[in-house]
Amino acid sequence: MKIRYGGDYNPEQWPPGVADEDHRLFDEARIDTLTVGVFTWALTQPAPDVYDFTTLDRIIERAAVAGRRVCLATGTGAHPAWLARAHPSVTRTDFEGRKHRFGQRHNSCPSSPEFRRFSAEVARRIARRYAGHPAIIAWHVGNEYGGACYCELCAAAFRQWLRDRHGSLEALNHAWYTTFWSHTFTNWDQIEPPNALTEHWRGPDHTAFQGITLDYLRFMSDAMLTNFRDEKAAIRESDPDTPITTNFMGLYRPIDYHRWAPHLDFASWDNYPPDDRSPARMALAHDLMRGLKDGQPFWLMEQTPSVTACRDVNPLKRPGVMRLWSWQAVAHGADAVLFFQMRAGRGASEKYHGAVIGHAGRSDTRVFREITALGTELEHLGPATLGARTPARVALLFDWDSWWALEISDGPSRLVKYLDVVTTHHQALWQLGADVDVIAVTAPLDAYDVVVAPALHMIKGDLADRLSAVAARGGTVVTTFLSGRVDQDDNAFRTDVPGPLAPLFGVRVDEWDAREASFVNPVTLLGSRFESRLLFELVIPQGAEVVGTYEADFYAGTAAVTRNDFGAGHAWYVGACLDPAGVERVIREILTRHGLLGPCAGLHGVETATRVAPDGTSFLFVLNHNTAPVDLPPLDGIDLLTGEPAGTLDPYGVVVLQTRPASRT
Ligand code: GLA
Ligand code: ZN
């Protein structure tokens, strides 16, 4: 057993003989796992009543002979042309109301009875054929579920979903606040999907009725989950045990992964970081994905070894970066490191996407050499980190409902983005070396000393009480501007802001000022000066101590950041959109109080993460994201990759320190 290494393999795209060359190179690169059949529906089922397993048989047998394991896909991420032709219901209707015809992928209407029937059936047939095959270690259902459909079938399914959620039209009218703008519904049939033809203008985030749009987002996520569950159930008819997953996309807004997670046997995700804040942002996504299944290890299902193709500009991963980011995934809980793609396809939209093996089939390329080197390292590491958990004392709450509600809101500011607020707070924790569980608002909080809840816009259920309990027993809770604003239906509370959170934070907010991005109001905080932008809440302490004040405008000298003593602990309210340095200052204060600063806190661009194996062995991963070497402080343990203690870390360098087995008390 070892960390799985390999990725998406599509030999259906090239002549059979090439596979021999592929497998020879896979041996060289220590590839042990292949994800097969992600887009083979049209080959597996070339006509409504014809199933043809020649291609999958050949690929799976060849892999098995070579001793490799297979993650087998159901192939339903793209439907076949004949299906769209015979059953137009399977294609989607877009946000503008345009009925699509056959084309692209990730293109099926989740509510189409024909899509549901045919996709479940192809999954059933594949499972029937390959269940129990010794090479198969996991099932991969669909691919990167996402997008949305606004067709009549989805409208009907939405109405049914609403009946289940709200029970009666009266309750629905109440939840949606329909006395506004003469919207009272007197029959379920009057309800339309919210799109460009109905409630929206200027795109998906501009809606006249937040409650309607919010429910449609929830419904669409649930509808696609139904598709996943259809196929999972079909697989389970012949394979009761092999774990089933689907590849998520990390920080992906349209799908509420927390609602999906219980239905997956393990989480997996595709890491294609979009911007230059990558290291911290990737760490957040890894922590979120690990949090989906209660901290269990996940799979890095896809990453590019070198370049993507889908962006306007596709930068190359510099030498060492693929290795560094792979170890980062492991550091945050991955038990598999997989690539898209194993060999580069020759045609269509991904022909320039990076691959383990390029078009020419060479092994003497830089990329192949780096892949082989990492394969050798992972082989050398063996089973040591498998199943290891992250011993986090800090939780960061992540909530799709708050994300949606905040970003479809008219006012206070379209410039405040949920992920920006979340990433700034996570980045501070990351930079200071705290291990962080990113968890749902419904998750238990008992294990944490510190709970960070950025932009916790919507308060549902008993969350306010559970946060108060953290502070009461001596922990610290942090929240920010735009928290505690709305209930589960996106209606404001009929109390002071921050609603049910007010007693915990000991503040009241009557007014807030939103400004253009160029406007800065400096905040004096704990003796230093930081910038704040975009949104400025005028915080009125109701017992809380002022720790940060605005410097400018008519509210100069008033509270921007406060700390409330609550029970044995503290509750921090950050009322302004502080710059990253300001957020880091707050987080540093809190981590210091709890003794949670990491061993390399303050070493810029140096990341640390801990995992503890089931036998109690503890691993400290130290990752240098800088282009220059870094001298590390003295650290316990021996680097498993070199057998030496840690000293100076190379540019993009990694050490995996095994500290002594943790003593169990
Ligand atoms: C996604 C998909 C793959 C492939 C890659 C390319 O993650 O799942 O099929 O398109 O992107 O980056
Ligand atoms: Zn539809």
Side-chain angles (χ1 to χ4, degrees), residues 387-588:
R389 300 292 196 118
T390 302
R393 314 282 312 159
V394 180
L396 184 142
L397 301 189
F398 194 97
D399 183 37
W400 264 267
D401 276 335
S402 285
W403 190 355
W404 292 334
L406 191 141
E407 294 191 358
I408 63 175
S409 177
D410 259 9
S413 171
R414 292 280 179 187
L415 302 183
V416 176
K417 300 292 183 198
Y418 180 73
L419 276 191
D420 289 345
V421 186
V422 171
T423 49
T424 307
H425 285 75
H426 186 274
Q427 182 163 1
L429 293 162
W430 174 84
Q431 183 61 57
L432 295 172
D435 291 307
V436 184
D437 284 347
V438 178
I439 56 173
V441 292
T442 48
L445 302 176
D446 317 294
Y448 303 107
D449 298 331
V450 177
V451 177
V452 183
L456 187 60
H457 199 62
M458 182 178 290
I459 304 294
K460 295 171 284 192
D462 61 352
L463 179 57
D465 293 338
R466 291 187 301 111
L467 288 171
S468 300
V470 172
R473 63 171 160 78
T476 299
V477 181
V478 194
T479 197
T480 69
F481 54 91
L482 291 182
S483 295
R485 294 300 187 111
V486 295
D487 66 13
Q488 76 278 356
D489 299 314
D490 201 28
N491 293 315
F493 295 107
R494 219 170 3 206
T495 58
D496 291 328
V497 170
L501 300 178
L504 169 59
F505 291 93
V507 295
R508 181 180 120 206
V509 177
D510 297 352
E511 300 176 77
W512 45 89
D513 191 19
R515 304 291 297 269
E516 284 305 317
S518 56
F519 177 82
V520 174
N521 196 334
V523 169
T524 306
L525 170 72
L526 298 164
S528 304
R529 195 166 183 257
F530 301 95
E531 296 188 337
S532 71
R533 285 189 173 75
L534 302 184
L535 195 74
F536 314 92
E537 291 187 348
L538 280 59
V539 183
I540 307 170
Q542 309 283 293
E545 178 192 344
V546 178
V547 289
T549 51
Y550 293 110
E551 288 190 4
D553 221 308
F554 78 91
Y555 43 92
T558 70
V561 180
T562 58
R563 178 180 52 212
N564 195 36
D565 290 340
F566 191 92
H570 290 156
W572 289 70
Y573 192 85
V574 181
C577 194
L578 291 174
D579 62 12
V583 173
E584 191 173 316
R585 183 68 192 85
V586 171
I587 296 294
R588 180 182 278 277

Side-chain angles (χ1 to χ4, degrees), residues 109 149 151 154:
C109 165
C149 180
C151 74
C154 284

Side-chain angles (χ1 to χ4, degrees), residues 271-272 302-308 317 322 339-340 353-355:
N271 183 21
Y272 297 100
E302 295 181 25
Q303 64 170 342
T304 179
S306 52
V307 290
T308 52
K317 285 185 181 172
M322 181 279 294
F339 297 105
F340 182 92
H353 196 287

Side-chain angles (χ1 to χ4, degrees), residues 25-290:
L25 293 168
F26 294 161
D27 282 340
E28 208 173 315
R30 318 302 205 259
I31 298 300
D32 51 52
T33 301
L34 300 172
T35 304
V36 166
V38 180
F39 293 105
T40 48
W41 192 351
L43 296 180
T44 307
Q45 190 180 10
D49 300 315
V50 183
Y51 291 90
D52 178 352
F53 294 102
T54 325
T55 304
L56 282 181
D57 280 356
R58 174 165 52 79
I59 300 170
I60 294 167
E61 283 322 311
R62 186 68 189 75
V65 165
R68 269 172 268 282
R69 300 289 198 226
V70 171
C71 171
L72 184 55
T74 58
T76 52
H79 54 236
W82 62 258
L83 181 59
R85 194 76 189 167
H87 300 287
S89 77
V90 304
T91 65
R92 288 184 184 173
T93 296
D94 67 19
F95 180 77
E96 277 74 31
R98 297 173 301 194
K99 168 73 175 164
H100 283 216
R101 300 168 67 94
F102 177 71
Q104 301 194 41
R105 66 167 177 178
H106 304 158
N107 50 0
S108 305
C109 165
S111 310
S112 157
E114 284 83 16
F115 175 71
R116 293 188 59 184
R117 181 157 55 82
F118 278 96
S119 59
E121 186 60 19
V122 74
R124 180 175 294 112
R125 300 286 182 128
I126 292 173
R128 213 176 272 164
R129 185 159 186 99
Y130 300 108
H133 192 297
I136 293 173
I137 49 157
W139 292 98
H140 177 301
V141 171
N143 192 67
E144 295 192 333
Y145 283 92
C149 180
Y150 298 87
C151 74
E152 282 303 324
L153 292 164
C154 284
F158 181 44
R159 292 177 197 122
Q160 186 54 49
W161 185 94
L162 292 169
R163 281 175 196 260
D164 295 343
R165 178 176 175 85
H166 296 284
S168 68
L169 269 181
E170 197 190 351
L172 173 125
N173 278 309
H174 183 75
W176 284 0
Y177 206 72
T178 54
T179 43
F180 184 73
W181 290 1
S182 192
H183 264 51
T184 305
F185 293 103
T186 54
N187 191 310
W188 294 98
D189 294 344
Q190 297 158 358
I191 296 167
E192 300 281 0
N195 65 14
L197 303 179
T198 60
E199 301 296 352
H200 282 252
W201 76 97
R202 279 176 62 197
D205 286 356
H206 289 72
T207 174
F209 276 81
Q210 279 66 26
I212 302 181
T213 298
L214 183 65
D215 271 351
Y216 203 75
L217 286 161
R218 290 166 167 161
F219 154 71
M220 195 41 66
S221 176
D222 283 0
M224 291 189 197
L225 173 56
T226 305
N227 296 163
F228 171 84
R229 296 180 66 189
D230 287 347
E231 292 190 39
K232 184 178 181 191
I235 294 168
R236 284 285 173 252
E237 289 170 19
S238 41
D239 183 345
D241 301 317
T242 311
I244 301 178
T245 191
T246 183
N247 48 341
F248 286 157
M249 289 181 276
L251 306 167
Y252 181 67
R253 199 178 82 162
I255 303 282
D256 184 341
Y257 291 145
H258 285 134
R259 285 176 67 90
W260 281 56
H263 303 281
L264 273 60
D265 297 317
F266 67 99
S268 67
W269 83 285
D270 301 346
N271 183 21
Y272 297 100
D275 58 36
D276 61 0
R277 289 174 305 161
S278 302
R281 191 190 161 100
M282 289 187 300
L284 165 62
H286 286 309
D287 290 342
L288 175 68
M289 296 293 104
R290 189 185 70 247

